[in-house]
PDB file of all heavy atoms in Angstrom:
ATOM      1  N   TYR E   1       0.853  -1.180   0.000  1.00 84.00           N
ATOM      2  CA  TYR E   1       0.000   0.000   0.000  1.00 84.00           C
ATOM      3  C   TYR E   1       0.890   1.232   0.000  1.00 84.00           C
ATOM      4  O   TYR E   1       1.847   1.321   0.770  1.00 84.00           O
ATOM      5  CB  TYR E   1      -0.938   0.016   1.213  1.00 84.00           C
ATOM      6  CG  TYR E   1      -2.061  -0.980   1.083  1.00 84.00           C
ATOM      7  CD1 TYR E   1      -1.915  -2.284   1.538  1.00 84.00           C
ATOM      8  CD2 TYR E   1      -3.263  -0.613   0.499  1.00 84.00           C
ATOM      9  CE1 TYR E   1      -2.952  -3.202   1.403  1.00 84.00           C
ATOM     10  CE2 TYR E   1      -4.298  -1.527   0.363  1.00 84.00           C
ATOM     11  CZ  TYR E   1      -4.128  -2.811   0.819  1.00 84.00           C
ATOM     12  OH  TYR E   1      -5.144  -3.717   0.681  1.00 84.00           O
ATOM     13  N   TYR E   2       0.581   2.187  -0.886  1.00 83.00           N
ATOM     14  CA  TYR E   2       1.346   3.421  -0.973  1.00 83.00           C
ATOM     15  C   TYR E   2       0.750   4.444  -0.011  1.00 83.00           C
ATOM     16  O   TYR E   2      -0.462   4.636   0.036  1.00 83.00           O
ATOM     17  CB  TYR E   2       1.333   3.950  -2.403  1.00 83.00           C
ATOM     18  CG  TYR E   2       2.092   3.039  -3.336  1.00 83.00           C
ATOM     19  CD1 TYR E   2       1.453   2.006  -4.002  1.00 83.00           C
ATOM     20  CD2 TYR E   2       3.458   3.194  -3.502  1.00 83.00           C
ATOM     21  CE1 TYR E   2       2.149   1.146  -4.837  1.00 83.00           C
ATOM     22  CE2 TYR E   2       4.171   2.340  -4.333  1.00 83.00           C
ATOM     23  CZ  TYR E   2       3.511   1.330  -4.997  1.00 83.00           C
ATOM     24  OH  TYR E   2       4.203   0.484  -5.818  1.00 83.00           O
ATOM     25  N   LEU E   3       1.634   5.117   0.717  1.00 83.00           N
ATOM     26  CA  LEU E   3       1.216   6.091   1.712  1.00 83.00           C
ATOM     27  C   LEU E   3       1.275   7.498   1.128  1.00 83.00           C
ATOM     28  O   LEU E   3       2.035   7.748   0.186  1.00 83.00           O
ATOM     29  CB  LEU E   3       2.120   5.985   2.944  1.00 83.00           C
ATOM     30  CG  LEU E   3       2.207   4.583   3.560  1.00 83.00           C
ATOM     31  CD1 LEU E   3       3.242   4.557   4.668  1.00 83.00           C
ATOM     32  CD2 LEU E   3       0.860   4.128   4.074  1.00 83.00           C
ATOM     33  N   PRO E   4       0.497   8.423   1.691  1.00 82.00           N
ATOM     34  CA  PRO E   4       0.468   9.791   1.161  1.00 82.00           C
ATOM     35  C   PRO E   4       1.828  10.490   1.186  1.00 82.00           C
ATOM     36  O   PRO E   4       2.093  11.357   0.366  1.00 82.00           O
ATOM     37  CB  PRO E   4      -0.520  10.516   2.079  1.00 82.00           C
ATOM     38  CG  PRO E   4      -1.352   9.439   2.678  1.00 82.00           C
ATOM     39  CD  PRO E   4      -0.478   8.232   2.766  1.00 82.00           C
ATOM     40  N   ASP E   5       2.714  10.097   2.104  1.00 82.00           N
ATOM     41  CA  ASP E   5       4.022  10.742   2.207  1.00 82.00           C
ATOM     42  C   ASP E   5       5.049  10.177   1.217  1.00 82.00           C
ATOM     43  O   ASP E   5       6.217  10.533   1.234  1.00 82.00           O
ATOM     44  CB  ASP E   5       4.566  10.646   3.624  1.00 82.00           C
ATOM     45  CG  ASP E   5       4.790   9.209   4.088  1.00 82.00           C
ATOM     46  OD1 ASP E   5       4.606   8.276   3.278  1.00 82.00           O
ATOM     47  OD2 ASP E   5       5.143   9.023   5.265  1.00 82.00           O
ATOM     48  N   GLY E   6       4.610   9.265   0.336  1.00 82.00           N
ATOM     49  CA  GLY E   6       5.509   8.688  -0.661  1.00 82.00           C
ATOM     50  C   GLY E   6       6.111   7.361  -0.239  1.00 82.00           C
ATOM     51  O   GLY E   6       6.717   6.669  -1.046  1.00 82.00           O
ATOM     52  N   ASN E   7       5.986   6.994   1.010  1.00 84.00           N
ATOM     53  CA  ASN E   7       6.467   5.688   1.475  1.00 84.00           C
ATOM     54  C   ASN E   7       5.420   4.623   1.170  1.00 84.00           C
ATOM     55  O   ASN E   7       4.357   4.917   0.639  1.00 84.00           O
ATOM     56  CB  ASN E   7       6.770   5.737   2.972  1.00 84.00           C
ATOM     57  CG  ASN E   7       7.998   6.567   3.269  1.00 84.00           C
ATOM     58  OD1 ASN E   7       8.999   6.483   2.578  1.00 84.00           O
ATOM     59  ND2 ASN E   7       7.910   7.375   4.299  1.00 84.00           N
ATOM     60  N   PHE E   8       5.720   3.399   1.541  1.00 87.00           N
ATOM     61  CA  PHE E   8       4.778   2.315   1.327  1.00 87.00           C
ATOM     62  C   PHE E   8       4.970   1.266   2.414  1.00 87.00           C
ATOM     63  O   PHE E   8       5.965   1.266   3.122  1.00 87.00           O
ATOM     64  CB  PHE E   8       4.964   1.683  -0.065  1.00 87.00           C
ATOM     65  CG  PHE E   8       6.361   1.242  -0.348  1.00 87.00           C
ATOM     66  CD1 PHE E   8       6.813  -0.006   0.040  1.00 87.00           C
ATOM     67  CD2 PHE E   8       7.235   2.095  -1.002  1.00 87.00           C
ATOM     68  CE1 PHE E   8       8.109  -0.403  -0.212  1.00 87.00           C
ATOM     69  CE2 PHE E   8       8.541   1.698  -1.261  1.00 87.00           C
ATOM     70  CZ  PHE E   8       8.979   0.451  -0.855  1.00 87.00           C
ATOM     71  N   VAL E   9       3.972   0.401   2.554  1.00 89.00           N
ATOM     72  CA  VAL E   9       4.084  -0.746   3.461  1.00 89.00           C
ATOM     73  C   VAL E   9       3.886  -2.001   2.629  1.00 89.00           C
ATOM     74  O   VAL E   9       3.108  -2.013   1.684  1.00 89.00           O
ATOM     75  CB  VAL E   9       3.060  -0.698   4.616  1.00 89.00           C
ATOM     76  CG1 VAL E   9       3.324   0.474   5.532  1.00 89.00           C
ATOM     77  CG2 VAL E   9       1.642  -0.651   4.116  1.00 89.00           C
ATOM     78  N   ILE E  10       4.629  -3.032   2.981  1.00 88.00           N
ATOM     79  CA  ILE E  10       4.475  -4.324   2.326  1.00 88.00           C
ATOM     80  C   ILE E  10       4.409  -5.393   3.399  1.00 88.00           C
ATOM     81  O   ILE E  10       4.870  -5.195   4.516  1.00 88.00           O
ATOM     82  CB  ILE E  10       5.635  -4.637   1.347  1.00 88.00           C
ATOM     83  CG1 ILE E  10       6.976  -4.594   2.075  1.00 88.00           C
ATOM     84  CG2 ILE E  10       5.616  -3.700   0.169  1.00 88.00           C
ATOM     85  CD1 ILE E  10       8.122  -5.078   1.251  1.00 88.00           C
ATOM     86  N   ALA E  11       3.795  -6.502   3.078  1.00 89.00           N
ATOM     87  CA  ALA E  11       3.672  -7.602   4.021  1.00 89.00           C
ATOM     88  C   ALA E  11       3.556  -8.905   3.238  1.00 89.00           C
ATOM     89  O   ALA E  11       3.500  -8.910   2.014  1.00 89.00           O
ATOM     90  CB  ALA E  11       2.451  -7.393   4.913  1.00 89.00           C
ATOM     91  N   GLU E  12       3.493 -10.003   3.980  1.00 86.00           N
ATOM     92  CA  GLU E  12       3.375 -11.313   3.328  1.00 86.00           C
ATOM     93  C   GLU E  12       2.001 -11.517   2.712  1.00 86.00           C
ATOM     94  O   GLU E  12       1.858 -12.225   1.726  1.00 86.00           O
ATOM     95  CB  GLU E  12       3.679 -12.426   4.329  1.00 86.00           C
ATOM     96  CG  GLU E  12       5.150 -12.495   4.693  1.00 86.00           C
ATOM     97  CD  GLU E  12       5.496 -13.721   5.500  1.00 86.00           C
ATOM     98  OE1 GLU E  12       4.770 -14.730   5.411  1.00 86.00           O
ATOM     99  OE2 GLU E  12       6.503 -13.669   6.224  1.00 86.00           O
ATOM    100  N   THR E  13       0.972 -10.910   3.312  1.00 88.00           N
ATOM    101  CA  THR E  13      -0.382 -11.069   2.788  1.00 88.00           C
ATOM    102  C   THR E  13      -1.016  -9.697   2.590  1.00 88.00           C
ATOM    103  O   THR E  13      -0.598  -8.704   3.195  1.00 88.00           O
ATOM    104  CB  THR E  13      -1.273 -11.874   3.754  1.00 88.00           C
ATOM    105  OG1 THR E  13      -1.451 -11.104   4.968  1.00 88.00           O
ATOM    106  CG2 THR E  13      -0.666 -13.233   4.082  1.00 88.00           C
ATOM    107  N   GLU E  14      -2.057  -9.670   1.769  1.00 88.00           N
ATOM    108  CA  GLU E  14      -2.778  -8.419   1.541  1.00 88.00           C
ATOM    109  C   GLU E  14      -3.404  -7.911   2.838  1.00 88.00           C
ATOM    110  O   GLU E  14      -3.391  -6.715   3.127  1.00 88.00           O
ATOM    111  CB  GLU E  14      -3.857  -8.639   0.483  1.00 88.00           C
ATOM    112  CG  GLU E  14      -4.631  -7.386   0.139  1.00 88.00           C
ATOM    113  CD  GLU E  14      -5.681  -7.617  -0.930  1.00 88.00           C
ATOM    114  OE1 GLU E  14      -5.668  -8.673  -1.581  1.00 88.00           O
ATOM    115  OE2 GLU E  14      -6.518  -6.718  -1.093  1.00 88.00           O
ATOM    116  N   GLU E  15      -3.928  -8.833   3.638  1.00 90.00           N
ATOM    117  CA  GLU E  15      -4.577  -8.454   4.885  1.00 90.00           C
ATOM    118  C   GLU E  15      -3.597  -7.781   5.843  1.00 90.00           C
ATOM    119  O   GLU E  15      -3.901  -6.774   6.478  1.00 90.00           O
ATOM    120  CB  GLU E  15      -5.210  -9.675   5.565  1.00 90.00           C
ATOM    121  CG  GLU E  15      -6.380 -10.283   4.817  1.00 90.00           C
ATOM    122  CD  GLU E  15      -5.957 -11.127   3.607  1.00 90.00           C
ATOM    123  OE1 GLU E  15      -4.785 -11.572   3.529  1.00 90.00           O
ATOM    124  OE2 GLU E  15      -6.813 -11.325   2.723  1.00 90.00           O
ATOM    125  N   GLU E  16      -2.395  -8.354   5.952  1.00 91.00           N
ATOM    126  CA  GLU E  16      -1.380  -7.786   6.841  1.00 91.00           C
ATOM    127  C   GLU E  16      -0.908  -6.432   6.331  1.00 91.00           C
ATOM    128  O   GLU E  16      -0.710  -5.503   7.112  1.00 91.00           O
ATOM    129  CB  GLU E  16      -0.196  -8.742   6.989  1.00 91.00           C
ATOM    130  CG  GLU E  16       0.883  -8.259   7.924  1.00 91.00           C
ATOM    131  CD  GLU E  16       0.420  -8.009   9.352  1.00 91.00           C
ATOM    132  OE1 GLU E  16      -0.515  -8.688   9.821  1.00 91.00           O
ATOM    133  OE2 GLU E  16       0.989  -7.103  10.005  1.00 91.00           O
ATOM    134  N   ALA E  17      -0.742  -6.277   5.018  1.00 89.00           N
ATOM    135  CA  ALA E  17      -0.344  -4.994   4.439  1.00 89.00           C
ATOM    136  C   ALA E  17      -1.414  -3.936   4.710  1.00 89.00           C
ATOM    137  O   ALA E  17      -1.105  -2.798   5.072  1.00 89.00           O
ATOM    138  CB  ALA E  17      -0.098  -5.128   2.942  1.00 89.00           C
ATOM    139  N   LEU E  18      -2.679  -4.309   4.540  1.00 87.00           N
ATOM    140  CA  LEU E  18      -3.774  -3.377   4.802  1.00 87.00           C
ATOM    141  C   LEU E  18      -3.802  -2.972   6.273  1.00 87.00           C
ATOM    142  O   LEU E  18      -3.995  -1.798   6.604  1.00 87.00           O
ATOM    143  CB  LEU E  18      -5.114  -4.003   4.393  1.00 87.00           C
ATOM    144  CG  LEU E  18      -6.347  -3.133   4.583  1.00 87.00           C
ATOM    145  CD1 LEU E  18      -6.224  -1.821   3.818  1.00 87.00           C
ATOM    146  CD2 LEU E  18      -7.589  -3.890   4.155  1.00 87.00           C
ATOM    147  N   LYS E  19      -3.573  -3.914   7.161  1.00 89.00           N
ATOM    148  CA  LYS E  19      -3.550  -3.634   8.605  1.00 89.00           C
ATOM    149  C   LYS E  19      -2.438  -2.623   8.925  1.00 89.00           C
ATOM    150  O   LYS E  19      -2.671  -1.656   9.653  1.00 89.00           O
ATOM    151  CB  LYS E  19      -3.325  -4.941   9.363  1.00 89.00           C
ATOM    152  CG  LYS E  19      -3.337  -4.816  10.854  1.00 89.00           C
ATOM    153  CD  LYS E  19      -3.149  -6.199  11.471  1.00 89.00           C
ATOM    154  CE  LYS E  19      -2.958  -6.122  12.956  1.00 89.00           C
ATOM    155  NZ  LYS E  19      -2.694  -7.445  13.549  1.00 89.00           N
ATOM    156  N   GLN E  20      -1.256  -2.844   8.351  1.00 89.00           N
ATOM    157  CA  GLN E  20      -0.142  -1.922   8.578  1.00 89.00           C
ATOM    158  C   GLN E  20      -0.452  -0.539   8.002  1.00 89.00           C
ATOM    159  O   GLN E  20      -0.149   0.490   8.610  1.00 89.00           O
ATOM    160  CB  GLN E  20       1.137  -2.462   7.941  1.00 89.00           C
ATOM    161  CG  GLN E  20       1.717  -3.657   8.629  1.00 89.00           C
ATOM    162  CD  GLN E  20       2.968  -4.144   7.921  1.00 89.00           C
ATOM    163  OE1 GLN E  20       3.691  -3.369   7.299  1.00 89.00           O
ATOM    164  NE2 GLN E  20       3.220  -5.440   8.012  1.00 89.00           N
ATOM    165  N   ALA E  21      -1.047  -0.523   6.810  1.00 86.00           N
ATOM    166  CA  ALA E  21      -1.362   0.736   6.145  1.00 86.00           C
ATOM    167  C   ALA E  21      -2.399   1.527   6.941  1.00 86.00           C
ATOM    168  O   ALA E  21      -2.288   2.744   7.080  1.00 86.00           O
ATOM    169  CB  ALA E  21      -1.861   0.471   4.728  1.00 86.00           C
ATOM    170  N   ARG E  22      -3.401   0.852   7.469  1.00 85.00           N
ATOM    171  CA  ARG E  22      -4.443   1.543   8.254  1.00 85.00           C
ATOM    172  C   ARG E  22      -3.867   2.160   9.517  1.00 85.00           C
ATOM    173  O   ARG E  22      -4.333   3.205   9.968  1.00 85.00           O
ATOM    174  CB  ARG E  22      -5.566   0.570   8.590  1.00 85.00           C
ATOM    175  CG  ARG E  22      -6.455   0.316   7.400  1.00 85.00           C
ATOM    176  CD  ARG E  22      -7.685  -0.469   7.773  1.00 85.00           C
ATOM    177  NE  ARG E  22      -8.582  -0.528   6.638  1.00 85.00           N
ATOM    178  CZ  ARG E  22      -9.317  -1.579   6.341  1.00 85.00           C
ATOM    179  NH1 ARG E  22      -9.274  -2.666   7.085  1.00 85.00           N
ATOM    180  NH2 ARG E  22     -10.116  -1.559   5.297  1.00 85.00           N
ATOM    181  N   LYS E  23      -2.850   1.527  10.080  1.00 85.00           N
ATOM    182  CA  LYS E  23      -2.196   2.091  11.255  1.00 85.00           C
ATOM    183  C   LYS E  23      -1.554   3.433  10.926  1.00 85.00           C
ATOM    184  O   LYS E  23      -1.402   4.286  11.774  1.00 85.00           O
ATOM    185  CB  LYS E  23      -1.123   1.144  11.783  1.00 85.00           C
ATOM    186  CG  LYS E  23      -1.657  -0.035  12.540  1.00 85.00           C
ATOM    187  CD  LYS E  23      -0.504  -0.865  13.077  1.00 85.00           C
ATOM    188  CE  LYS E  23      -1.013  -2.113  13.762  1.00 85.00           C
ATOM    189  NZ  LYS E  23       0.109  -2.959  14.223  1.00 85.00           N
ATOM    190  N   LYS E  24      -1.167   3.596   9.665  1.00 81.00           N
ATOM    191  CA  LYS E  24      -0.512   4.824   9.222  1.00 81.00           C
ATOM    192  C   LYS E  24      -1.465   5.764   8.500  1.00 81.00           C
ATOM    193  O   LYS E  24      -1.048   6.665   7.808  1.00 81.00           O
ATOM    194  CB  LYS E  24       0.684   4.489   8.335  1.00 81.00           C
ATOM    195  CG  LYS E  24       1.722   3.691   9.096  1.00 81.00           C
ATOM    196  CD  LYS E  24       2.934   3.426   8.247  1.00 81.00           C
ATOM    197  CE  LYS E  24       3.934   2.643   9.079  1.00 81.00           C
ATOM    198  NZ  LYS E  24       5.265   2.659   8.510  1.00 81.00           N
ATOM    199  N   GLN E  25      -2.766   5.517   8.604  1.00 65.00           N
ATOM    200  CA  GLN E  25      -3.823   6.354   8.035  1.00 65.00           C
ATOM    201  C   GLN E  25      -3.664   6.536   6.524  1.00 65.00           C
ATOM    202  O   GLN E  25      -3.518   7.638   6.028  1.00 65.00           O
ATOM    203  CB  GLN E  25      -3.871   7.709   8.717  1.00 65.00           C
ATOM    204  CG  GLN E  25      -4.169   7.594  10.201  1.00 65.00           C
ATOM    205  CD  GLN E  25      -4.179   8.925  10.899  1.00 65.00           C
ATOM    206  OE1 GLN E  25      -3.784   9.936  10.353  1.00 65.00           O
ATOM    207  NE2 GLN E  25      -4.636   8.924  12.128  1.00 65.00           N
ATOM    208  N   VAL E  26      -3.740   5.452   5.811  1.00 46.00           N
ATOM    209  CA  VAL E  26      -3.597   5.473   4.363  1.00 46.00           C
ATOM    210  C   VAL E  26      -4.802   6.134   3.708  1.00 46.00           C
ATOM    211  O   VAL E  26      -5.935   5.896   4.091  1.00 46.00           O
ATOM    212  CB  VAL E  26      -3.455   4.026   3.823  1.00 46.00           C
ATOM    213  CG1 VAL E  26      -3.630   3.979   2.339  1.00 46.00           C
ATOM    214  CG2 VAL E  26      -2.096   3.496   4.218  1.00 46.00           C
ATOM    215  N   ILE E  27      -4.521   6.967   2.716  1.00 50.00           N
ATOM    216  CA  ILE E  27      -5.590   7.577   1.934  1.00 50.00           C
ATOM    217  C   ILE E  27      -5.667   6.917   0.567  1.00 50.00           C
ATOM    218  O   ILE E  27      -6.716   6.515   0.108  1.00 50.00           O
ATOM    219  CB  ILE E  27      -5.333   9.098   1.766  1.00 50.00           C
ATOM    220  CG1 ILE E  27      -5.394   9.782   3.139  1.00 50.00           C
ATOM    221  CG2 ILE E  27      -6.329   9.697   0.799  1.00 50.00           C
ATOM    222  CD1 ILE E  27      -4.956  11.211   3.126  1.00 50.00           C
ATOM    223  N   LYS E  28      -4.515   6.761  -0.097  1.00 49.00           N
ATOM    224  CA  LYS E  28      -4.475   6.193  -1.449  1.00 49.00           C
ATOM    225  C   LYS E  28      -4.101   4.705  -1.365  1.00 49.00           C
ATOM    226  O   LYS E  28      -3.070   4.368  -0.826  1.00 49.00           O
ATOM    227  CB  LYS E  28      -3.431   6.948  -2.283  1.00 49.00           C
ATOM    228  CG  LYS E  28      -3.306   6.433  -3.687  1.00 49.00           C
ATOM    229  CD  LYS E  28      -2.224   7.215  -4.420  1.00 49.00           C
ATOM    230  CE  LYS E  28      -2.032   6.666  -5.811  1.00 49.00           C
ATOM    231  NZ  LYS E  28      -0.910   7.294  -6.478  1.00 49.00           N
ATOM    232  N   ILE E  29      -4.940   3.850  -1.908  1.00 51.00           N
ATOM    233  CA  ILE E  29      -4.667   2.414  -1.910  1.00 51.00           C
ATOM    234  C   ILE E  29      -4.481   1.969  -3.356  1.00 51.00           C
ATOM    235  O   ILE E  29      -5.356   2.161  -4.180  1.00 51.00           O
ATOM    236  CB  ILE E  29      -5.814   1.639  -1.235  1.00 51.00           C
ATOM    237  CG1 ILE E  29      -5.923   2.053   0.232  1.00 51.00           C
ATOM    238  CG2 ILE E  29      -5.587   0.146  -1.371  1.00 51.00           C
ATOM    239  CD1 ILE E  29      -7.087   1.431   0.952  1.00 51.00           C
ATOM    240  N   CYS E  30      -3.322   1.396  -3.658  1.00 53.00           N
ATOM    241  CA  CYS E  30      -3.023   0.914  -5.010  1.00 53.00           C
ATOM    242  C   CYS E  30      -2.695  -0.558  -4.937  1.00 53.00           C
ATOM    243  O   CYS E  30      -1.596  -0.928  -4.589  1.00 53.00           O
ATOM    244  CB  CYS E  30      -1.828   1.660  -5.598  1.00 53.00           C
ATOM    245  SG  CYS E  30      -2.093   3.424  -5.751  1.00 53.00           S
TER     246      CYS E  30
END
């Protein structure tokens, strides 16, 4: 998941990546 500040989060599964991204208040999901 790409974060608004230009960084991103990655994980082994989509669910884990989404969980990490939500912790960082993701706006844009690609």
Side-chain angles (χ1 to χ4, degrees):
Y1 286 89
Y2 293 91
L3 305 174
D5 62 5
N7 289 318
F8 54 86
V9 295
I10 57 172
E12 289 189 24
T13 66
E14 182 179 347
E15 293 77 20
E16 182 59 30
L18 181 57
K19 182 178 172 183
Q20 289 179 29
R22 284 189 172 144
K23 284 183 184 177
K24 298 183 179 196
Q25 299 178 349
V26 167
I27 295 171
K28 180 182 177 186
I29 297 175
C30 299

